[in-house]
Amino acid sequence: MSRGRIPALGTWFAKRARTLPAPVAVGTAYARADGLGVRLGGRTVLDGIDLEVTAGQVLALVGPNGAGKSTLLAALAADLPATTGGVRIDGRPATAWTAPELALRRAVLPQSAALSFPFTVADVVRMGRAPWAGTPGEDEDEAAVAEAMAATEVTGFAGRPFSALSGGERARVALARVLSQRAPLLLLDEPTAALDLRHQELVLRLCRERAAAGAAVAVVLHDLGLAAAYADRAALLHGGRIAAQGPPGEVFGAELLSRVYRQPVEVIGHPRTGVPLVMPLRET
Amino acid sequence: MTALPRTDTGTGAGISTGAGTGTDAGAHSGTDSRPDAGAHSGADAHSATDPAAAASPPPPPHRFPRTTLLTAGLTLALLAGCLLSAGLGAYRIPLGDVLGSLLHHLHLGGAELDRVGESVLWNVRLPRVVLALLVGSSLGCAGALMQGVFGNPLAEPGVIGISSGAAVGAVGAIALGLGFLGMWTVPACAFATGLLTVLVVYTLSRSGGRTEVVTLILTGIAVNAFAGALIGLFLFFADNAQVSQITFWQLGSLSGAVWPKVLAVLPCAVAGLAVAPCYARKLDLLALGERPARHLGVDVERLRVVLILVVALLTAAAVAVAGVISFVGLLVPHLLRMAAGPGHRFLIPGSALGGALVLVVADLAARTVAQPAELPLGVLTALFGSPFFFWLLRRTRRKQGGWA
């Protein structure tokens, strides 16, 4: 706090000297897992994961239920300790950062958005700015909140209590909170699950925009079509391991997907764009 | 971009608790995470295609934020309550004389009272008023903190057994005639057992990073029963003088307030009340759940440990001098949340203020309603608190089908 600003009393107890995130060159790995293994409750959930989340790119994590997508995302977010290997964020082991420093570097959208008390939508989105309290980034607070709310189309119910919203609206508010954090690493766990068609597209366009602005984005997706259309790279998880990773066009092979999902699928190129479309093989 | 409404606009949404009290996303993605996506997709689509139609008009600008008005109102009411409480009773002292004597003692003019009046005011009434302030603000603040830490609007020191846990220590110290810390023995024992109870309740009622209301309440019942049994046991072994002293703890009362008692509780209460507001922002974030709070830079484990210590400190301070006074910590934060929204930056100091007001008024009533007899304070708060609790349960059931 040598900047001459007197912080609020509350921040004296919490915010000590923090390293602010420096700009990252597009194309470098902002977060990476090296030989990452995670055991939860005696079960190996992840094993031997080598993965990079690259600045300027959208990475889609796909795979069947229970493949370890959310666990991988949680490990990348430094929520779960690695049993073997490790996770590095912004050039340091994830465990070497303090919670406030991590909060300046990565924003996480959980699978379900809950709230214990009836805060208004604007309050919830503003919570995303908490990590920046007492830093120069504090000056962007209102702008970041307004931008995030406009981007996710929640400005219209800014004054309503979060608990009065529908599931899809809540999901968008939660996303707005994550966006307002303006972290260089975005980890989104099924951001499209509760959303209608329009907002699914909107969310992934937002991911692309953030990546274009230099952020490293990792998204857990169930919709392989969305992943193929919007991700730069895809990692297909199967039984806690990465079955394949690379550009979606290469990863999404009919034979591999059929085996991993235990459901025969066909992959056809979109007639106009050539983007792969994954369809289950149906009899009729 | 219009200015976004701030916390102060208050929606009066009351105690609706959102999608359960759940916190941890990963483990509980099952039934309650996105229940109504289908049901509401129509509304979604509508707001999407025509955002302007769905946009609610911005709330009318208040000249003073609601929190400021509430704070001012509470403070004024508290001052009035204190003056009334100092003046009214078996020996009436006119308000002007109370003020005069206060000013006199502050060397700001005013006039001394006659001997009796002076003695009644300074040795009987004022210690009692100050004690009511300390106990009330401690209980109100502890309630607000506890609800924030548990992420659950039903958490309250009395309901989940912290008060009775602390009372066990106090009663035990009296019954066993402990005196190893002099005047501090009873508060210290109350603090130790209170802290132990908080830890027990906390560990027992949490699973997978969340506290379910049913588990919490049931844990409270078990803890209260166990504490009641221990107190009964101490009563059984105590002699007559100790029995009457112990009965005092169980009913809760501020009678017998003297300055040394005030001094005994003052450090605990002031320390707790001073630390609590520093964690307001973090408690707001904790409402999102533990993991999201951590993602926003909150050291959740440390926050929890510190706040549980603070809650134990505040509750023990209150219980040590006034016995078990329930429902203050439940009622006050709830009413304030309904009036001014759930932001803890107002809720924590506001609850301290409101708790003090409730207790000063309740003590005044306890002293004067059945004159010359005196109602036990704890009985009075429970008498008014339990119907409120009832109403709260019904209201929540009607609005959202109960707590998860």
Side-chain angles (χ1 to χ4, degrees), chain A residues 14 79 99 103 106 108 110-112 114-120 127 145 155-156 159 163 166-167 169-170 181 194 196 198-199, chain B residues 1 4-6 11 14 16-19 22 25 29 33-34 36 40 44 48 55-56 147 151 282 284 287-288 291 295-297 342:
Chain A
D79 283 339
R106 57 98 174 89
V108 187
Q111 224 171 56
S112 62
L115 195 66
S116 317
F117 297 107
F119 283 97
T120 63
M127 287 179 189
V145 169
T155 314
S163 39
S166 79
E169 290 168 337
R170 286 182 190 191
Q181 204 173 333
D196 59 38
R198 171 193 162 83
H199 289 104
Chain B
M1 191 67 230
L4 300 169
R6 286 218 156 261
T11 53
S16 51
T17 54
S29 60
S33 54
R34 298 175 291 276
D36 42 8
H40 288 268
D44 271 1
S56 51
Q147 291 166 18
K282 293 184 176 181
D284 284 354
L288 293 168
R291 271 197 188 181
H295 296 150
L296 291 170

Side-chain angles (χ1 to χ4, degrees), chain B residues 57-397:
Chain B
H62 294 286
R63 207 144 69 86
F64 297 104
R66 194 179 287 196
T67 46
T68 315
L69 290 176
L70 262 173
T71 312
L74 282 174
T75 313
L76 283 179
L78 186 59
L79 283 176
C82 287
L83 284 177
L84 277 177
S85 189
L88 293 179
Y91 183 94
R92 266 173 189 270
I93 308 170
L95 285 188
D97 291 2
V98 173
L99 280 173
S101 181
L102 283 173
L103 289 176
H104 179 76
H105 277 253
L106 292 168
H107 304 289
L108 293 172
E112 212 172 345
L113 297 171
D114 58 274
R115 274 239 327 269
V116 182
E118 194 75 5
S119 168
V120 166
L121 182 62
W122 285 91
N123 295 333
V124 180
R125 295 275 167 76
L126 284 183
R128 192 158 177 163
V129 170
V130 175
L131 207 61
L133 286 177
L134 288 175
V135 170
S137 47
S138 297
L139 288 174
C141 187
L145 286 179
M146 193 161 249
Q147 291 166 18
V149 172
F150 280 90
N152 188 315
L154 278 193
E156 197 257 352
V159 173
I160 65 175
I162 312 300
S163 295
S164 35
V168 168
V171 168
I174 300 169
L176 303 175
L178 300 181
F180 54 95
L181 289 173
M183 185 176 79
W184 302 90
T185 314
V186 173
C189 290
F191 176 67
T193 51
L195 181 62
L196 190 73
T197 320
V198 184
L199 294 178
V200 167
V201 170
Y202 193 77
T203 37
L204 287 184
S205 64
R206 287 185 81 77
S207 62
R210 56 185 255 155
T211 314
E212 285 176 14
V213 183
V214 176
T215 325
L216 186 68
I217 300 298
L218 291 179
T219 312
I221 291 176
V223 168
N224 271 324
F226 187 66
L230 283 182
I231 292 176
L233 210 59
F234 284 131
L235 273 174
F236 182 75
F237 288 115
D239 61 38
N240 272 343
Q242 288 168 336
V243 165
S244 63
Q245 218 182 335
I246 289 172
T247 318
F248 157 87
W249 294 103
Q250 288 174 295
L251 294 180
S253 170
L254 290 172
S255 64
V258 284
W259 288 118
K261 265 193 185 174
V262 173
L263 285 181
V265 64
L266 191 70
C268 286
V270 167
L273 290 173
V275 170
C278 304
Y279 290 90
R281 264 188 92 115
K282 293 184 176 181
L283 277 179
D284 284 354
L285 299 181
L286 201 59
L288 293 168
E290 281 181 22
R291 271 197 188 181
R294 203 174 298 126
H295 296 150
L296 291 170
V298 179
D299 188 342
V300 176
E301 289 306 314
R302 200 180 70 179
L303 175 74
R304 232 194 263 142
V305 169
V306 170
L307 288 185
I308 283 184
L309 281 174
V310 171
V311 166
L313 198 67
L314 288 170
T315 313
V319 170
V321 290
V324 180
I325 298 174
S326 46
F327 293 107
V328 175
L330 182 78
L331 190 141
V332 172
H334 259 107
L335 290 177
L336 288 179
R337 212 176 278 125
M338 286 178 201
H344 286 89
R345 258 166 292 180
F346 169 72
L347 194 63
I348 289 176
S351 296
L353 213 54
L357 174 64
V358 166
L359 221 64
V360 166
V361 172
D363 184 52
L364 177 62
R367 286 193 293 118
T368 51
V369 166
Q371 251 174 350
E374 192 175 299
L375 290 174
L377 185 55
V379 172
L380 201 67
T381 56
L383 209 58
F384 286 94
S386 348
F388 174 78
F389 194 66
F390 233 169
W391 172 73
L392 211 63
L393 288 172
R394 299 235 4 127
R395 182 178 181 275
T396 315
R397 240 180 67 169

